[in-house]
Amino acid sequence: MRVRFTGSYYHSANLENSNLYSSNRSGFGFTCVLNNNAYTNNGVAVPLNYKKTSTPEGTFNPGFKNWATSLMFNPFVKYKGFELFRTVELASGGDKAGVEHKRTANQYAGELNYRFGKKEQFYLAGKYNTASGKLANADAKEVTVHRVESSIGWFMTKNILGKLDYVSQNYKDYIQFAGNVLTGNATNFYDGNVKGLVF
């Protein structure tokens, strides 16, 4: 049996914009979904299968723009071929110092893997992930994103992995329009759902 418990603390203040929950390191990883806008590259329209290099679509981002604090815990247990990995993240932040009250966003995830084979090179896995928080101000309605994911994989070498995932992700309580109903932009995540196979 192997047991590991890790934690991390992050804080940034007086930023123009916080990158912790945006850009391509924020964890969604599925490109060209839940986007109502045309894809452009230096103003030129490109096919929908073009891989955009900015923020991935579908990412949950609480939008902390002035300050952000994140406390994360990751317990891990391995027994024979079974592995259990958990994530608990408690985050808070705001847009403007001295103007907006603190708002929070939390994430909880659990992943169970079973590794098998002579060198445990094959695995089956299941994951549940949920994130929720207030996006605009302390009085706004909280939004929630749920993801269920199952995987089968094969480590062909230490550095080459072939895997097949099925993912279903749902977005709850996002508003339909940002701003005025007639002139505002449609919210990409309103009643949003992403599901399918990923190889």
Side-chain angles (χ1 to χ4, degrees):
M1 177 179 280
R2 221 173 101 215
V3 178
R4 182 182 73 221
F5 185 85
T6 60
S8 64
Y9 174 80
Y10 169 95
H11 176 75
S12 63
N14 301 317
L15 293 176
E16 285 294 320
N17 207 333
S18 174
N19 266 347
L20 183 63
Y21 300 100
S22 61
S23 79
N24 60 7
R25 60 180 175 271
S26 54
F28 185 68
F30 306 117
T31 309
C32 301
V33 295
L34 293 180
N35 194 322
N36 296 320
N37 304 316
Y39 283 77
T40 59
N41 184 15
N42 295 323
V44 179
V46 294
L48 283 177
N49 62 0
Y50 173 75
K51 185 171 182 180
K52 206 173 172 190
T53 56
S54 61
T55 304
E57 302 82 347
T59 301
F60 173 80
N61 185 349
F64 301 139
K65 290 182 174 62
N66 181 261
W67 66 278
T69 300
S70 171
L71 188 61
M72 184 180 287
F73 303 101
N74 298 112
F76 171 83
V77 177
K78 177 176 172 64
Y79 178 69
K80 295 185 178 179
F82 290 96
E83 295 178 354
L84 177 64
F85 181 76
R86 294 288 313 273
T87 294
V88 176
E89 181 180 14
L90 310 173
S92 59
D95 288 344
K96 295 179 181 178
V99 176
E100 184 191 49
H101 294 293
K102 178 176 80 171
R103 53 195 169 87
T104 61
N106 299 320
Q107 176 185 201
Y108 305 96
E111 182 174 332
L112 180 63
N113 295 333
Y114 176 63
R115 300 186 186 276
F116 58 98
K118 189 174 181 180
K119 297 181 179 179
E120 293 190 342
Q121 70 271 34
F122 304 105
Y123 74 86
L124 298 170
K127 179 180 182 179
Y128 177 75
N129 200 157
T130 182
S132 59
K134 297 181 177 183
L135 302 181
N137 57 59
D139 298 322
K141 188 173 184 179
E142 190 173 87
V143 300
T144 305
V145 182
H146 299 285
R147 180 195 292 183
V148 176
E149 192 170 346
S150 57
S151 305
I152 183 168
W154 171 30
F155 284 93
M156 293 179 273
T157 71
K158 279 187 175 182
N159 300 318
I160 300 176
L161 168 66
K163 68 173 183 172
L164 181 67
D165 289 350
Y166 174 77
V167 62
S168 176
Q169 183 153 309
N170 295 286
Y171 300 75
K172 302 294 183 187
D173 298 319
Y174 280 84
I175 59 173
Q176 187 169 8
F177 293 96
N180 186 288
V181 173
L182 298 178
T183 61
N185 295 323
T187 304
N188 293 341
F189 298 167
Y190 173 72
D191 224 10
N193 175 257
V194 176
K195 63 174 62 173
L197 291 172
V198 182
F199 176 72

